[in-house]
Amino acid sequence: MASYTESLEQEVKLDVGLGFEFPDLTGVMEGVVTDRRPTLELVATYFDTPDLRLLQRGITLRRRRDSTAGGEDLWTLKLPSGGATATLDRSEISWPGGQTDIPDEAVGLVRGIVRHGTLGAVAELETTRQRLVLQDAAGTILGELDDDIVAVHGGGQDGLRFRQVEFELAGGEGAVVEALVERLGGAGAAIDHRGPKLVQALGVDPDTLADRPVPPLGSHALLADVVRASIAAALDRILEHDYQLRLGGNDTVAVHQTRVATRRLRSDLKTLAPVLDPVWLSHTRADLKWIADALGQVRDIDVLAGHLETEMSQAAPADTRPFGEIRLELVRRREATHASLLEALDTDRYLTLLDRLHASAGAPPFLGTDRSGSEKGSGLHPNDPARRVLPKLVRRPWRKLCRTVRAAGAHPTDPQLHRIRIRAKQLRYAAEAAAPVVGKQARRMADAAEALQTVLGDHHDAVTAEEWFRREAATGSQTVAFSAGQLVAIQRQRQARLGHRWRRVWASLDRKKIRRWLG
């Protein structure tokens, strides 16, 4: 496979007219000087699916050829990175551009976005770039200001010429961005929120680019709207983290968020089952469970590692060596489970699941239900007002939770507490799905159910950690066994503490004020 380089690009884009005149940048910040660099002549070919799936996710894939003396050709994949900042932050991954085919690694990173689609050239941009480097008094480069005149070749905007100014932050702070934007803004430049040049080159509206946007819900929503919103929100969350999972490394957030998305949707589909085709429902929930289990194998290791790091941070330096041996074992296991996860992400089963969710977010497979409520029908219909029927649908997981708590008795076992946690999570997700329609009553129930789920989830994590550390104590060296034994004792203490607390949290949920809206 081709080797690649990875970096973080932090830039701000400014929209200017072809006749824009740069103001004097002297003194834009104290001590800042400018240095003019040679003009570049660049030709970039952008690749995407016909329906622009990459661009919909804020991703661009291009091959850029630098025709100036000594210039290089590069394949570059730009992936969204970070949250809301003064700059547009993207991970930039590059490969040598000599090969004419898209690098296999680049294709692999966007496989979950592209799925069974086909990548092809969608536009070619020819850019004349004038460059101005900003430096501080010590000669440290703060960033580069690029003035681009762009000509579009191909597509519906063939022949279009436009201008864009970019400032890419290097060693500077955000203050230099703010000062520069203020100076250029005074000359008529405006922040360009359209994102990559490709958006303007293709003539698409950034607001219409969203891939199956999550439909807004309100008190007048139909049950069908709730189904669409649930599927669309889950798909958006999965795709948001898909390429982060494929990048590898130790991205615990991507693993956790993707797992939550799959498990939440599986629970929502169970709640909304009365209006969904049972064959589609069975296949989809089974596939969601399969990929959630693969994610769970990695997530369990991450949770164990978190417990271990906490104890290592509190131990005396002389006592951390055995913990270090346990950590190495966790690292090995995480690498193995992550490799298995990547294999799952590359299967046709996973890609077909994403395609199915994409299609269903726009046109869910509703069941033609019999309104009689007979054995063949639920009495519900997709066009029923959601505010009227959601209480009935949420009442089912509430009753299951109550029965599970009663069955556990006064001294529940660890497996019984785990089942209560699962029921609490199902109730929480059902109430959260209802909250945008029903309002604060459903939100209160969701919050209370989440509190119960959290306490019992921490208890289950402690049980799982105890079992794992016990195995390490039985198979490791004498020093490792001693440290693992300490960790077992700590997890037992956590279980005892949480085992007492959950009753109080359950009492806060089991109140008439909380469940009154269920009818």
Side-chain angles (χ1 to χ4, degrees), residues 289-345:
K289 183 180 186 304
W290 162 72
I291 196 63
D293 287 346
L295 289 157
Q297 294 295 317
V298 185
R299 175 62 181 168
D300 288 347
I301 299 297
D302 289 341
V303 172
L304 284 168
H307 288 317
L308 183 62
E309 292 298 326
T310 298
E311 300 310 322
M312 287 183 68
S313 67
Q314 297 174 358
D319 297 332
T320 59
R321 182 174 172 273
F323 288 150
E325 293 184 35
I326 297 174
R327 179 166 60 181
L328 285 175
E329 177 61 23
L330 284 173
V331 169
R332 285 192 290 268
R333 299 209 181 179
R334 203 213 191 255
E335 289 175 350
T337 56
H338 188 263
S340 297
L341 172 61
L342 291 181
E343 290 179 5
L345 296 181

Side-chain angles (χ1 to χ4, degrees), residues 215-223 225-227 229 384-391 430-443 517:
L217 297 176
S219 59
H220 299 292
L222 303 177
L223 187 56
D225 299 326
V226 177
V227 174
D384 284 338
R387 188 176 182 87
R388 177 170 61 82
V389 300
L390 280 173
E432 285 181 343
V437 177
V438 176
K440 62 182 181 180
Q441 294 172 303
R443 170 50 57 192
W517 67 282

